[in-house]
Amino acid sequence: MKNFTIYLVILVFLFVTKVLGQESFESRAKKIANKIENITKEEKAALKEEVEAVNVQLSEGKITQEQADKRKKELAEARAVIIEEKVTLAQNELNDLVQQKVDGKIKEQDSSHIYVIRWNPKRDKDSIHGERRTTSQFVFAMGLNNMMADGKLQDANYSFIGSHFYEWGFTYNSRLMKNDNLLHAKYGLSLMYNNIRATDNRSFVVNGNQTELQTNAINLDESRFRNVYLVLPLHLEFDFSKPQISNEKTYFRTHKSFRFGIGGYAGINVKSKQILKYDQDDLDYKTTIKGDYNVNNFIYGLSSYIGYKEMSLYVKYDLNPLFENNLVKENNISLGLRFDLN
């Protein structure tokens, strides 16, 4: 737990630096967010057309319901792979941006630049007269990942600092009360990547209905196990943003002050794979092994976040174990930073 405390302090430090240097970081992050948004929208639209074509075949009696369900799952998995490949470059760009923020290389904008943003007549007009009860955000989250068993962190089996999670998607934020800004329902769709790195030169091996960590015969430079999920998150969000008053009318805004959310998520596993890297005879090798690894097809869990404006500390915990039949039940737990960008 000592390591856990250290990294929690690091995350808090990142949160504080975000509060102190908001504008410059946001503008760059939103550009990357728009790039990822366009990729995801295009692939989702393509998937919708493919699924509709399958439904037509089903209605015409050309395929059975079982064949249709199987085909839809295959199409969803294929599109998830395409999204992963296209978004990886943008993800790396966003990771670099966060690292620059940590290293202090991103300077705060001067007051004159902030003045222009806040007082542009068109933006001001839109912000006052374009109020909506429901808004949308691009969500990106990243941080540390590990496993829990019997209430204990399994950092002896999995590298604490080497295991990471990533999540990106879109949410809708609906104000629940007409004349009060405190309570919001936040819901959407996300791709969730959970990575764990085994310690002591081990990797996962399937032995019947058991998935076990076994020592490798060769010296591994990296042993990483990745699971990709398509999930539906749902949170009740408490937003303490103060209302604006103009012409004796009250207008509500979100993500302008402190806020926190509590809720959960549920979804399906779309891909599991193990990545092994090693050196042999002065050559570098990378092996990717795809399979089900007895991983649960479904995922559901609890999640919560607390933050200021667009950034928050984020924790999530899977209520069902990673592996379906293992004697030792290990549940994924994640702690990191979350960005909700309007």
Side-chain angles (χ1 to χ4, degrees), residues 49-101:
E49 292 181 0
E50 292 171 340
V51 170
E52 288 176 351
V54 173
N55 288 333
V56 170
Q57 290 180 316
L58 177 62
S59 64
E60 294 176 349
K62 296 180 180 180
I63 57 176
T64 64
Q65 183 66 55
E66 181 179 356
Q67 290 173 325
D69 293 340
K70 181 180 179 182
R71 180 57 180 158
K72 289 178 183 178
K73 183 179 180 181
E74 291 173 347
L75 291 171
E77 291 176 349
R79 286 296 168 185
V81 171
I82 294 173
I83 291 174
E84 178 188 3
E85 293 174 347
K86 289 186 176 182
V87 172
T88 295
L89 293 177
Q91 175 191 331
N92 292 337
E93 187 177 348
L94 191 55
N95 292 346
D96 291 340
L97 180 62
V98 174
Q99 187 60 51
Q100 290 179 45
K101 183 67 175 176

Side-chain angles (χ1 to χ4, degrees), residues 108-300:
E108 296 183 39
Q109 293 178 329
D110 58 37
S111 58
S112 61
H113 185 55
I114 296 175
Y115 179 87
V116 171
I117 292 177
R118 290 180 177 174
W119 292 100
N120 179 286
K122 183 176 180 180
R123 289 180 60 91
D124 189 62
K125 180 179 179 180
D126 292 342
S127 67
I128 295 297
H129 299 287
E131 184 193 53
R132 300 176 183 176
R133 285 280 294 273
T134 298
T135 59
S136 61
Q137 295 82 37
F138 169 78
V139 175
F140 175 76
M142 62 182 293
L144 304 176
N145 202 59
N146 217 286
M147 307 295 291
M148 296 282 290
D150 297 325
K152 297 180 180 179
L153 192 68
Q154 301 299 292
D155 52 348
N157 289 330
Y158 310 104
S159 171
F160 189 85
I161 195 170
S163 300
H164 308 107
F165 83 93
Y166 301 94
E167 178 182 342
W168 53 78
F170 301 91
T171 61
Y172 290 100
N173 189 348
S174 297
R175 193 172 77 248
L176 297 180
M177 293 179 287
K178 182 178 180 180
N179 297 315
D180 192 282
N181 198 41
L182 181 62
L183 296 179
H184 296 255
K186 200 172 181 73
Y187 49 93
L189 181 69
S190 291
L191 269 176
M192 187 183 294
Y193 291 72
N194 290 337
N195 296 279
I196 51 176
R197 283 178 165 85
T199 59
D200 301 328
N201 201 50
R202 293 176 295 174
S203 59
F204 283 107
V205 175
V206 176
N207 185 10
N209 66 351
Q210 299 292 298
T211 304
E212 305 168 344
L213 280 175
Q214 293 186 7
T215 303
N216 247 273
I218 58 177
N219 185 40
L220 298 175
D221 295 326
E222 180 178 354
S223 175
R224 175 159 47 105
F225 187 55
R226 169 183 288 179
N227 287 280
V228 182
Y229 300 93
L230 187 64
V231 300
L232 299 172
L234 175 62
H235 294 92
L236 177 64
E237 182 172 285
F238 298 80
D239 194 321
F240 296 92
S241 300
K242 294 181 179 180
Q244 295 179 351
I245 299 177
S246 177
N247 297 326
E248 299 182 353
K249 292 184 178 180
T250 302
Y251 299 88
F252 300 102
R253 294 293 176 264
T254 62
H255 301 80
K256 299 298 183 182
S257 184
F258 287 98
R259 59 191 178 84
F260 72 91
I262 184 170
Y265 50 90
I268 60 172
N269 176 280
V270 295
K271 183 172 62 176
S272 296
K273 66 179 180 181
Q274 187 165 213
I275 302 168
L276 306 177
K277 295 181 180 179
Y278 56 92
D279 299 328
Q280 194 171 41
D281 299 327
D282 295 326
L283 297 175
D284 294 330
Y285 292 90
K286 177 181 179 181
T287 302
T288 301
I289 310 169
K290 299 180 180 179
D292 61 26
Y293 286 91
N294 296 319
V295 170
N296 266 309
N297 291 325
F298 299 96
I299 183 177
Y300 56 92

